[in-house]
Amino acid sequence: MSDAHTPEGMELTLRTLAMPADTNAAGDIFGGWVMSQMDLAAAIRANERCNGRTVTIAANEIVFKKPVKVGDTLCVYTAIDRVGRTSMVIRIEVWARRCYSALRDHVTEARFTMVAVDEDGNPREVGPAPEHV
C-alpha cells in the first residue's frame, strides 16, 4: 500500500488479515476483534510516544461504519490528538482493503485514552516526544 492511502495527519500503525476464526454468528468479522486491533495500535503508538509502557483507560466514540469481511486486510491508522501530563488521546481510523481487490472502505473509528505507567503500574509523566516519533 502506498502513502497515498494514508489519512491526512495519521500513520499506518498496524496491518492484519481478517480470518474465519474472527467471525460473528452473521459471518462478518466480530466487532470485538476489530476493537482489539484498535487497542493494539493505540498501545503501539502511545508506547512509542512516551518511550515506555502505557495502559488503556478509555475507548470512546467507537463508530462501526461498515462490516469487515473474511479475507479483508485491516489497516489501522493512528494520530496523537492530545498529550497531557500522564495521558494521551489516540485517534484511530480503521480501513479495510477488500479481499482480492484494491477497494478500500473506512470501516471503524474511535479515540483511545492511554496512560503512561511505571514498572509498578502507577501513572507517570509522558515526557517530551522522542525525536523519531
Side-chain angles (χ1 to χ4, degrees):
M1 292 206 168
S2 71
D3 289 327
H5 295 295
T6 301
E8 188 174 340
M10 303 188 93
E11 71 177 39
L12 179 62
T13 307
L14 184 71
R15 247 176 102 177
T16 191
L17 186 63
M19 299 294 288
D22 306 316
T23 58
N24 61 24
D28 295 324
I29 297 301
F30 178 56
W33 180 82
V34 175
M35 287 175 54
S36 72
Q37 303 310 305
M38 296 168 79
D39 193 33
L40 288 170
I44 290 168
R45 188 71 188 266
N47 292 350
E48 289 175 351
R49 168 56 182 86
C50 76
N51 200 28
R53 182 175 162 215
T54 60
V55 294
T56 306
I57 63 163
N60 296 307
E61 305 170 27
I62 299 174
V63 179
F64 294 96
K65 297 173 168 281
K66 294 183 178 180
V68 177
K69 304 290 187 182
V70 170
D72 290 350
T73 299
L74 203 70
C75 302
V76 186
Y77 298 91
T78 62
I80 299 171
D81 271 2
R82 186 179 57 76
V83 176
R85 191 176 69 77
T86 62
S87 67
M88 64 196 86
V89 176
I90 309 293
R91 181 170 36 95
I92 300 172
E93 286 188 16
V94 181
W95 289 72
R97 181 169 188 222
R98 300 304 183 176
C99 188
Y100 308 120
S101 161
L103 178 65
R104 296 167 42 87
D105 285 323
H106 183 187
V107 295
T108 312
E109 60 188 37
R111 292 187 187 327
F112 279 61
T113 303
M114 310 296 288
V115 171
V117 295
D118 63 20
E119 58 277 351
D120 296 320
N122 298 311
R124 66 173 178 85
E125 289 194 20
V126 171
E131 291 187 27
H132 70 280
V133 175

